[in-house]
């Protein structure tokens, strides 16, 4: 008598976990990430002109770099993901320097205090 109850409990557990698993997979299928449908690594490649300014605090920041950065500031979470991407790391980008570019560009509307990893935008 105990054996059928044990198997029934196991069967109920397996069926409930299967249903929960299917719902979890279906629920995450619409999630794209901080940059929406855009690939973070490809977005990082678009910031290639800003690489030198993202490595050195005293590097000059051209108007072109400022324009690129201003567009990316519309979504600070995406920008942070880009700055911490493998592509940016391989290029030698230093996130603690990169978050200073908006200030060096004199961009008025910037996410001051928004943390990008351990580094807040200034």
């Amino acid at each position: 008598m105990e054996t059928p109850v044990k198997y029934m409990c196991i069967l109920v557990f397996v069926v409930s976990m299967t249903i929960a698993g299917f719902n979890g997979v279906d629920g995450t299928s619409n999630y794209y990430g901080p940059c929406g449908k855009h690939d973070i690594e490809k977005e990082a490649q678009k910031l290639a002109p800003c690489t030198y300014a993202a490595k050195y605090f005293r590097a000059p920041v051209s108007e072109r770099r400022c324009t690129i950065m201003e567009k990316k500031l519309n979504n600070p979470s995406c920008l942070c993901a880009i700055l911490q991407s493998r592509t940016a790391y391989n290029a030698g980008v230093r996130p603690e320097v990169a978050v200073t570019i908006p200030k060096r560009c004199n961009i008025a509307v910037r996410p001051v205090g928004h943390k990008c990893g351990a580094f807040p935008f200034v």
Side-chain angles (χ1 to χ4, degrees):
M1 185 84 174
E2 289 181 21
T3 305
V5 173
K6 184 187 291 185
Y7 288 123
M8 186 58 99
C9 289
I10 292 172
L11 181 64
V12 168
F13 176 75
V14 171
V15 169
S16 65
M17 293 309 290
T18 303
I19 292 170
F22 286 135
N23 286 338
V25 171
D26 185 45
T28 58
S29 65
N30 295 327
Y31 179 74
Y32 293 108
C35 295
K37 294 181 180 180
H38 301 283
D39 183 348
I40 292 171
E41 300 301 328
K42 288 181 182 176
E43 291 298 312
Q45 291 171 356
K46 292 178 185 176
L47 290 177
C50 304
T51 303
Y52 190 73
K55 288 181 181 181
Y56 307 103
F57 282 109
R58 297 189 189 270
V61 185
S62 70
E63 189 174 325
R64 179 175 179 221
R65 290 182 190 116
C66 292
T67 302
I68 292 170
M69 189 59 71
E70 193 167 19
K71 287 179 184 176
K72 295 297 176 191
L73 281 174
N74 292 333
N75 186 347
S77 298
C78 178
L79 180 58
C80 287
I82 291 168
L83 295 178
Q84 296 173 349
S85 68
R86 177 62 52 194
T87 301
Y89 177 81
N90 290 340
V93 169
R94 295 173 47 204
E96 69 273 16
V97 176
V99 296
T100 66
I101 293 175
K103 184 175 182 178
R104 291 189 279 162
C105 289
N106 294 318
I107 297 173
V109 179
R110 57 184 191 268
V112 176
H114 180 88
K115 287 216 173 200
C116 188
F119 312 105
F121 280 94
V122 290

